[in-house]
Amino acid sequence: MKQPREVFRMVVVMAPEATQEDIDAVVGRVHAAGGKAFVSRGVTRTIVGLVGDVGEFDALNLGRHSGVADVVRISDSHKLVSREHHPARSVVRVGGVPIGPGTLTVIAGPCAVETPEQTLAAAMMAKAAGASLLRGGAFKPRTSPYAYQGLGEEGLRILADVRAEAGMPIVTEVIDPSSVELVARYADMLQVGTRNMQNFALLQAVGSTGKPVLLKRGFGATIDEWLMAAEYIAQRGNLDIVLCERGIRTFETATRNTLDISAVPVVQRRSHLPVIVDPSHSGGRRELVVPLTRAALAVGADGVMIDVHPEPAAALCDGAQALVDADLDEIASIVTILSPLMGRTLTQPVPHGGLNPVG
Ligand code: PEP
Ligand code: MN
């Protein structure tokens, strides 16, 4: 094969039974689209490396072409998080709790930290649902400036107290670069929310802390954009990143967001980072959380993140999607029954001060 000086943007893997006509046709179509094609004949199959505009190549739909087995985009734009450079899927540890292949990790808690009592009650609910990590926002990125913005540092102190009492490491959101240092002093894992997925200064700042990061998918972001956002964090030397699919905006209004369930296997194939699902922010309604949790586990998610609240009717944020006591058993039995079926061990809460026995 003639070595191109340019970088391959895409590779077409021909099927072993592909004919010369199939190969010529692929090359012809790439040329017609303004690209260059470099044919490499292996012992059992032929690979065609493409140089040029990936968007143009996508439009060719080469995957459906006769004799084509696979079309692989070369993701130089996110090589650190890509499986091409790191084939084994990663496990990320949060205060001793593993998230990744082989385990199933439940993160649960209130959308927002409101009071010490509410946060502790929610932590107990989270445990009853099978959670080993506690979530809760002290800094809330709200669409309306009039909506509840969170308790700030007081909320972080409440979370730290509840962590000590419940023995659960905490996941909490950071919304701007200037508060990263403060939030990192309290949190076991820093959450970057959907509205901030492309806040590049924030991504770089959380990448510099060395704390694990939960990166939610932007509600209007493609999977490529999501992985490139993760790459911003990785580029700062922090590969402890967990991706969270939380629903995207579509024309559908019956749910708060459309849970893009296929994103889970797609991303797990392209990136070594663990991928979890947030059925609460995608469904947006309590009755959808249990079925979407089942779907997340069945599709192979490495975990779920679920909103719970001791009194949803009085919640200052996202009460409609919060699970109540009556739902906890159901979540616990789903995760207990489905984990072994999916080849996973349900992660247990960390015993006080100790390391998690799982993973
Ligand atoms: C949250 O988890 O509380 C949150 C704000 O989520 P998202 O960024 O997905 O809307
Ligand atoms: Mn919320």
Side-chain angles (χ1 to χ4, degrees):
M1 177 180 61
K2 203 167 98 203
Q3 278 303 317
R5 269 192 290 161
E6 303 95 322
V7 181
F8 283 170
R9 309 309 303 172
M10 202 175 252
V11 169
V12 180
V13 182
M14 303 301 295
E17 66 276 10
T19 62
Q20 186 59 48
E21 288 73 47
D22 291 334
I23 297 166
D24 291 344
V26 167
V27 170
R29 296 194 66 197
V30 171
H31 286 164
K36 296 180 193 166
F38 298 84
V39 178
S40 169
R41 279 170 222 285
V43 178
T44 53
R45 57 168 88 227
T46 295
I47 307 274
V48 188
L50 311 191
V51 174
D53 183 333
V54 174
E56 294 282 344
F57 299 151
D58 272 339
L60 294 177
N61 233 330
L62 292 170
R64 304 189 59 183
H65 199 279
S66 159
V68 172
D70 204 1
V71 178
V72 184
R73 260 172 109 135
I74 304 297
S75 46
D76 273 325
S77 52
H78 39 79
K79 69 174 182 195
L80 295 174
V81 303
S82 139
R83 284 189 83 168
E84 286 162 38
H85 296 264
H86 186 302
R89 298 199 57 232
S90 297
V91 174
V92 170
R93 279 171 203 283
V94 182
V97 172
I99 307 178
T103 57
L104 188 103
T105 303
V106 180
I107 307 171
C111 175
V113 174
E114 299 167 16
T115 65
E117 298 74 25
Q118 167 257 6
T119 307
L120 182 59
M124 294 307 148
M125 294 174 73
K127 265 194 171 172
S132 47
L133 294 171
L134 174 66
R135 62 147 289 146
F139 292 91
K140 297 302 302 175
R142 304 308 299 278
T143 301
S144 162
Y146 302 114
Y148 180 63
Q149 306 284 314
L151 291 177
E153 187 167 6
E154 190 195 337
L156 296 174
R157 280 194 289 267
I158 293 172
L159 281 170
D161 289 346
V162 172
R163 165 176 52 201
E165 180 133 8
M168 301 169 89
I170 52 183
V171 183
T172 195
E173 182 159 357
V174 57
I175 58 175
D176 56 60
S178 62
S179 52
V180 166
E181 210 188 297
L182 170 70
V183 180
R185 278 210 297 277
Y186 292 88
D188 296 290
M189 179 178 230
L190 299 169
Q191 178 175 327
V192 174
T194 194
R195 294 161 186 80
N196 266 316
M197 191 207 80
Q198 285 189 316
N199 180 340
F200 301 117
L202 178 62
L203 297 172
Q204 289 171 328
V206 297
S208 299
T209 63
K211 286 269 161 126
V213 178
L214 182 67
L215 178 62
K216 289 194 147 193
R217 179 181 182 180
F219 57 77
T222 64
I223 286 172
D224 259 341
E225 288 163 342
W226 190 15
L227 293 175
M228 285 189 267
E231 188 80 6
Y232 266 92
I233 300 169
Q235 225 197 18
R236 291 287 158 132
N238 186 354
L239 275 160
D240 290 330
I241 307 163
V242 174
L243 300 168
C244 178
E245 164 61 44
R246 49 76 71 203
I248 52 176
R249 180 166 288 173
T250 67
F251 54 80
E252 183 55 74
T253 55
T255 49
R256 185 177 180 187
N257 293 282
T258 299
L259 176 59
D260 182 7
I261 199 77
S262 25
V264 177
V266 169
V267 172
Q268 286 176 339
R269 220 168 140 240
R270 292 184 42 190
S271 169
H272 57 87
L273 302 177
V275 185
I276 69 166
V277 165
D278 179 341
S280 306
H281 287 81
S282 31
R285 290 202 313 279
R286 185 186 148 208
E287 72 270 22
L288 298 176
V289 175
V290 165
L292 294 181
T293 299
R294 279 196 212 104
L297 269 52
V299 87
D302 298 302
V304 283
M305 179 152 97
I306 297 175
D307 281 12
V308 298
H309 197 287
E311 212 187 331
L316 295 176
C317 179
D318 287 353
Q321 68 195 31
L323 295 190
V324 298
D325 280 327
D327 305 310
L328 305 179
D329 280 355
E330 204 167 356
I331 294 291
S333 68
I334 289 171
V335 296
T336 309
I337 293 166
L338 285 184
S339 300
L341 289 180
M342 298 305 298
R344 293 172 183 272
T345 307
L346 181 63
T347 306
Q348 300 302 314
V350 183
H352 284 265
L355 281 183
N356 201 289
V358 175

